[in-house]
Amino acid sequence: MPLDVPAALTRIAALARRAGSTALDVVYPPSCLVCRRAVAEQGALCAACWRDIAFIERPYCERLGTPFATS
């Protein structure tokens, strides 16, 4: 049975990424991007910060997403 080198390298790279991510989580535990509370994964927001987000509402530019000035 011949060895599929590209597939083996892909699996090794995926394993190395997972190991590196786990090692980083041990050294730098996942924390909220805003308040630094503990969260489940890197790059996430805690429930309190997520609840306080003010999303852009209409009217805004459909192309750029920039809100229009309103009075």
Side-chain angles (χ1 to χ4, degrees), residues 1-8 11:
M1 182 171 180
L3 179 63
D4 186 9
V5 175
R11 278 180 269 173

Side-chain angles (χ1 to χ4, degrees), residues 38-59:
V39 292
E41 60 186 35
Q42 296 289 351
L45 297 175
C46 69
C49 291
W50 180 256
R51 182 181 55 242
D52 293 339
I53 290 178
F55 291 98
I56 298 173
E57 296 179 2
R58 292 192 184 271

